[in-house]
Amino acid sequence: MSVAEAAGTSEVPEPGRRNRSSSPRQIPVVGVVTEDEDAQGAFKTMDLNRVIKLLEETDKDDLEEEQLKSVKKLVQCYQNGLPLRDLAQIFKILNLCAEKIENQPHFIESAFNILKLCGLPFLKKKVSDEITYAEDTANSIALLGELMKIPNSELRIQICKCIVDFYHAEPLKKHITGYQQASSSYKIKMAEVGGLAKKMVQSLALLENQLVEKLWVLKALQHLSTSVNCTLMMKAQAASGICAHLNDPDPSGQLLFRSSEILWNLLEKSSKEEIIQQLSNLECLLTLKEVFKNLFMRGFSHYDRQLRNDILVITTIIAQNPGAPMIECGFTRDLILFATFNEVKSQNPLVKGLKLSNSYEDFELKKLLFNIIVILCKDLPTIQLLIDGKVILALFTYVKKPEKHKTIEWSAAQYEELQLHAIATLSSVAPLLTEEYMLCQGNARVLAFLQWCESEDSFFSHGNSYHGTGGRGNKFAQMRYSLRLLRAMVYLEDETLNNDLCEKGTIQQLIGVFKNIIKSHDKEEAIVLEIQSDILLILSGLCEHHIPRKEIFGTEGVDIILHVMKTDPMKFQSGLGYNVLLFSTLDSIWCCILGCYPLEDYFLEKEGIFLLLDLLALNQKKFCNLVLGIMVEFCDNPKTTAHVNAWRGKKDQTAASLLIKLWRKEEKELGVKRDKHGMIIDTKKPLFTSFQEEQKIMPLPANCPTIAIMDVAENIRAKIYAVLGKLDFENLPGLSAEDFVTLCIIHRYLDFKIGEIWNEIYEEIKLEKLRPVTTDKKILEAITTASENIGKMVASLQSEMIESQAHQDVQNEQKVYAKIQATHKQRELASKSWENFLARTSNAKTLKKAKRLQEKAIESSRYSGQPPNAIFHRTDIKGLNTTVPSGRVVTVESTPARLLGGPLADTDIALKKLPIRGGALQRVRAAKTVNEPKKIAPT
């Protein structure tokens, strides 16, 4: 048994004292260690309880020296590491020393030395020690935070060094027999459990003017903030406390660096919303403002620029909070000034003489400033500051084609990225500043830039950034963001702005761009689809409610719409943006074609209705509502009906059949009660959905739509009714019996819906406990009864149709059975005829008998009376043993004529005819006559 193990059982009498054997808690003061064990690194133990008892004694005046000596021995004993089982007692000794410091300054050194031990590895004797002593260890480490209250610089710094050492664990310098080093992350986990981070944050309030100590505490917090400690720090208001002191004097610059790093960690690893809330106060924002201004104006090193950008990112995150006093502290005005001073000359002393370089940090700063403008403009009071700062004018300096042979401060790739970023920023800012946009000739600038994007000018795009995605080697990125800007402006529905666009030929230009895009290569397909969608949306915004503009849209515009509608339906599932393009196309049909009769007629001539019905036949719910709405409007054109009735889908499906099928599918999804044949079950509520059944009728104000009214807008049944109504419910082609049963309900949709609404009114009156006058009550009851009667009538008609169809099915079945029976009978007759034929050919007696019967039948069929002097000619040949009709000429089937060339193939007649295919005159090769007589010329 080792000395360390024996220390728990052996007893050594204390020098100068009487041995009290009755006490079971006596532990040897110093264990006996042999020379061999010392060489192997055996662990020396102490009676820690005795040391604690000694330090707790205060009634004697001469104990200080003995107490200091015992603590010194403790430090020497544990100079290789702290066992987990002794940790609670050692930290209790540390706490006792700390309590004595105020009256006995000599204990400062003792506490300092014990704190040094805390940086040593923790030792475990058993694997389970880490779990067994976890609570004691967590409480002991938490004590370090409490010791920060001691007003001693050396101790505070040592505590911080000890915490930093937790994150830089070193292996044991000397192996100790019977002990192993605890896991490297054990101290960190125990610090998290003990809440050390929270106490370290609280200690910052004690270090207002102690810069060195504050820097050490920040260094410790920087390490602690890399884990879940951030939640504890957040609860201790670490963000606001640290941010408020960012601008404190610090020649080394560590305070700002470490503080910003801690803020970053807090934003990333704790509740972002809570941290933003803590930083959204005037004091923190004023500090951030001053720090940013100092770094912006006086920071020239690489480190200063990086730190400046980090502060701006933190500010950007805070600016997302609408409650942050960005305007009140003047930060918004300064940020706008810094974002635009390069493009718009300013006399403000803050930017006088300032110039950005093309370094990576300054380039990132410019992008961050553009980004924060987008965030700031969401706060409406910022608009006046944006006007004063001439932000629109500054951003429009980038909306132009790159100028050759002009020295600029950015590289080509940087300028391209800033250009795209500026246009994207304009898309957010310009809609808020329409007057400034128009004063800067925004429409003209954007259209001119768009024309350059479409041109064949030599330009190599780098496409490096997020905004430049898909634009490498082309101008798609520039075109994409220009169209986004135009779309944002058009959707303001500002008539002055839209008129200006139309006067500048925007509609024709965009149609031309669309045509050129169609001809472009299929690479970057997603970007091209987005460009096409934006063009169609812009055209829709410009042409809606304006017939003259629709006329300008013209047949060329209709052609591009038809081109998109002919897209392969399989591409709608590709995820590249075809769905968005199709929605934009349907919107443009609604806004650019409907209402303009020449364009409607042209759309019909080009089979546009067929394409709409093809799209409807895809049975995709997301398109059905919009397509049916367009169909309803198109049906006002008298030429539409013929096109709709002429359409045929798969399996020769008609448009009426398709619409009725969609109705049945919609009712199934809505949970409308129908039987297996599609008949009405509840004649009182024939259109009720499952949602309407679940919702109870509630009294509502007159201006609030009821559930029955909302049902009209929330599904496609009303649109199907409108389309079929305009097609006329009679003489619809291609309908089955099931379709006719459903058509009965559709035909009465309006009657049912009116009855449903009156029923709601009646129920609301009952709920409000109102009693209508007798006349009104009779009218309400009559309406309710009439509606129910209509339901019964429709149900009766449906029953008749089903019975008629069942009868017709029986008749059809009988016809089929009769046809099958006739076929079988014919087959039996043919089989019997064949058997007779075989019998005649194989048996002479049967043949002779058949011949006699045939001759007898022939004789009986002849006319018996003969005119006088008549000559009788026989039509049969005597002696023939055949039963088939025969005459003087017999045709014998032999080798096919096409193989021998016909009976006249070797005659002179064949030589004089052209070779033709088939018959006696077929002759392919030239014929050569044998022994042909020589012709002698006449003398």
Side-chain angles (χ1 to χ4, degrees), residues 181-375:
Q181 184 175 353
S183 59
S184 58
S185 62
Y186 184 68
K187 287 184 180 181
I188 299 172
K189 291 178 181 176
M190 292 301 102
E192 294 170 0
V193 174
L196 176 62
K198 183 177 180 180
K199 294 175 181 178
M200 292 301 293
V201 171
Q202 293 169 347
S203 70
L204 279 173
L206 307 172
L207 308 173
E208 292 291 338
N209 300 317
Q210 287 84 17
L211 178 60
V212 177
E213 298 166 30
K214 186 186 291 185
L215 291 177
W216 272 105
V217 172
L218 289 173
K219 184 175 182 180
L221 287 173
Q222 186 181 353
H223 284 80
L224 289 169
S225 64
T226 57
S227 61
V228 295
N229 286 318
C230 288
T231 304
L232 297 172
M233 294 171 66
M234 176 191 71
K235 292 178 180 178
Q237 302 292 313
S240 57
I242 292 172
C243 184
H245 295 281
L246 279 176
N247 206 29
D248 288 357
D250 175 27
S252 68
Q254 290 187 46
L255 187 144
L256 183 56
F257 165 70
R258 297 195 187 282
S259 299
S260 62
E261 185 72 20
I262 293 168
L263 290 176
W264 262 114
N265 292 338
L266 289 173
L267 285 167
E268 288 181 355
K269 296 181 172 63
S270 64
S271 172
K272 186 177 178 181
E273 293 75 16
E274 178 63 28
I275 297 299
I276 291 174
Q277 199 63 39
Q278 289 183 21
L279 295 174
S280 299
N281 59 70
L282 198 59
E283 184 183 8
C284 289
L285 287 172
L286 282 171
T287 306
L288 285 169
K289 170 190 167 184
E290 293 303 319
V291 169
F292 181 74
K293 281 168 61 177
N294 289 335
L295 290 171
F296 191 92
M297 297 166 63
R298 301 179 184 87
F300 299 103
S301 66
H302 176 75
Y303 166 78
D304 288 340
R305 289 171 176 172
Q306 279 189 331
L307 200 53
R308 173 199 63 193
N309 291 356
D310 288 345
I311 296 297
L312 183 55
V313 173
I314 292 172
T315 305
T316 304
I317 294 171
I318 298 170
Q320 294 174 3
N321 179 17
M326 293 289 294
I327 298 175
E328 291 83 347
C329 69
F331 206 173
T332 299
R333 185 180 294 276
D334 289 347
L335 288 170
I336 292 172
L337 174 66
F338 292 143
T340 59
F341 80 95
N342 251 20
E343 295 77 22
V344 180
K345 299 301 179 184
S346 174
Q347 301 301 321
N348 194 304
L350 287 177
V351 294
K352 191 174 182 180
L354 277 180
K355 190 175 181 181
L356 296 177
S357 66
N358 62 354
S359 65
Y360 176 77
E361 289 76 23
D362 283 353
F363 174 60
E364 287 296 314
L365 171 70
K366 194 69 178 176
K367 293 195 294 181
L368 288 171
L369 288 169
F370 283 166
N371 184 56
I372 201 169
I373 285 175
V374 174
I375 294 170

Side-chain angles (χ1 to χ4, degrees), residues 561-567 582 585-586 589 603 608 611-612:
I561 288 174
L562 293 169
H563 173 82
V564 176
M565 293 184 68
K566 293 176 182 176
T567 304
L582 185 57
T585 306
L586 295 174
I589 294 173
F603 185 82
L611 296 174
L612 281 174

Side-chain angles (χ1 to χ4, degrees), residues 137-177:
T137 305
N139 294 334
S140 300
I141 291 177
L143 183 63
L144 294 175
E146 295 292 338
L147 295 178
M148 288 297 294
K149 297 176 182 177
I150 301 172
N152 184 277
S153 178
E154 291 182 357
L155 285 180
R156 287 170 172 171
I157 292 172
Q158 184 57 44
I159 291 170
C160 294
K161 287 182 178 178
C162 177
I163 294 170
V164 172
D165 288 341
F166 289 176
Y167 294 85
H168 305 284
E170 295 182 359
L172 282 170
K173 295 180 181 178
K174 188 175 182 181
H175 177 68
I176 299 172
T177 306

Side-chain angles (χ1 to χ4, degrees), residues 12-17 29 50:
V12 179
E14 186 180 338
R17 294 198 178 196
V29 176
R50 178 183 176 279

